[in-house]
Amino acid sequence: MDTKTKDQKIKTLKETVRNIPDFPIKGIQFKDVTPLFKTKESLSMLTEVLYEEYKNKGITKVVGIESRGFIMGPIMALKLEAGFIPIRKPGKLPAEVYEEEYEKEYGVDKIQIHKDTLSSEDVVLIHDDLLATGGTMAAAYKLVKKMGVKKIYVNFIIELDDLKGRSLFPEDIEVKSLINFSI
C-alpha cells in the first residue's frame, strides 16, 4: 500500500521527468514526460494523482490532444468511467469535423474534432502533456466550447510557468497542472 502524500507523489513524479537540453532546437530545455510512462510504478502514481483530482467532477468525456494527450487521456477516461475523444491534426479524422486554427511559437497550425462526439450533457476534461505558450490547448478549448458542453476542465501533466500559457484561458475555467517548472 502506497502511503505517500499527494505532494510526495508529485515530487517523485517531477524528479522522474527528464530534461533534454537543446531539443528540438538550441536553447530549449525540453521536458520529456516519457519516463513517467516507463515503469508500472510511475505510471500508476501518475494515474492515481490525476484520478484523485477529477474523480468527483462528473466527467463524461476525456478529450486528448494529439499526440501525447493520447497516452494519459484514455487511461483517465477508463478510470473515470468516461469516453475518450481525440483531437487531431487535419486529415486524420474521417467524419465531419470542427476545426480551429492557432498560432504556435514557430507558425500557424490547425486541430480538429469530430462534430458528433460531444453534447450539451457532457462534462469534459481536456488533457495534454504540457502547457507552454498554450496555443494548442486554447484551440482545443475553443473547439470543445463550440460544441456546447455543460462544463470544461483543462489539465496538463507539466506546466512551464514562465511562458504564461495559462493566461489564454478565461478565469472561470479550471486549469490544473500536476508538475510546474520554471524555465
Side-chain angles (χ1 to χ4, degrees), residues 66-117:
E66 185 171 349
S67 65
R68 289 182 299 265
F70 291 2
I71 299 170
M72 289 308 297
I75 293 171
M76 288 303 300
L78 283 171
K79 284 287 286 181
L80 294 167
E81 298 182 6
F84 176 75
I85 309 300
I87 286 185
R88 306 227 37 207
K89 295 174 182 167
K92 304 281 186 172
L93 295 173
E96 285 189 66
V97 296
Y98 289 117
E99 181 173 271
E100 190 69 36
E101 187 173 278
Y102 64 99
E103 289 189 36
K104 300 192 308 188
E105 304 85 68
Y106 42 87
V108 176
D109 211 343
K110 295 177 186 178
I111 54 173
Q112 299 177 332
I113 189 169
H114 276 139
K115 286 184 176 182
D116 64 354
T117 55

Side-chain angles (χ1 to χ4, degrees), residues 33-183:
V33 296
T34 61
L36 294 172
F37 314 134
K38 186 167 70 172
T39 68
K40 178 182 76 134
E41 292 77 18
S42 59
L43 183 58
S44 293
M45 188 180 300
L46 177 60
T47 302
E48 179 185 335
V49 172
L50 288 171
Y51 172 71
E52 287 298 317
E53 190 66 48
Y54 294 100
K55 70 181 181 182
N56 295 319
K57 306 275 188 187
I59 305 291
T60 59
K61 300 278 176 30
V62 176
V63 172
I65 300 174
E66 185 171 349
S67 65
R68 289 182 299 265
F70 291 2
I71 299 170
M72 289 308 297
I75 293 171
M76 288 303 300
L78 283 171
K79 284 287 286 181
L80 294 167
E81 298 182 6
F84 176 75
I85 309 300
I87 286 185
R88 306 227 37 207
K89 295 174 182 167
K92 304 281 186 172
L93 295 173
E96 285 189 66
V97 296
Y98 289 117
E99 181 173 271
E100 190 69 36
E101 187 173 278
Y102 64 99
E103 289 189 36
K104 300 192 308 188
E105 304 85 68
Y106 42 87
V108 176
D109 211 343
K110 295 177 186 178
I111 54 173
Q112 299 177 332
I113 189 169
H114 276 139
K115 286 184 176 182
D116 64 354
T117 55
L118 299 171
S119 76
S120 61
E121 297 303 310
D122 283 316
V123 175
V124 178
L125 171 61
I126 311 174
H127 169 78
D128 204 4
D129 68 322
L130 182 112
L131 173 60
T133 59
T136 307
M137 182 59 88
Y141 168 77
K142 288 176 187 174
L143 281 174
V144 171
K145 185 166 180 60
K146 183 185 301 187
M147 298 176 82
V149 301
K150 192 183 292 186
K151 181 139 180 80
I152 301 171
Y153 297 94
V154 174
N155 169 263
F156 302 92
I157 298 171
I158 296 172
E159 181 173 353
L160 303 178
D161 296 329
D162 301 338
L163 296 179
K164 304 197 184 313
R166 182 178 287 263
S167 68
L168 296 180
F169 302 95
E171 288 192 22
D172 63 332
I173 295 301
E174 184 179 296
V175 178
K176 291 201 175 186
S177 300
L178 188 60
I179 302 167
N180 294 74
F181 285 104
S182 292
I183 55 170

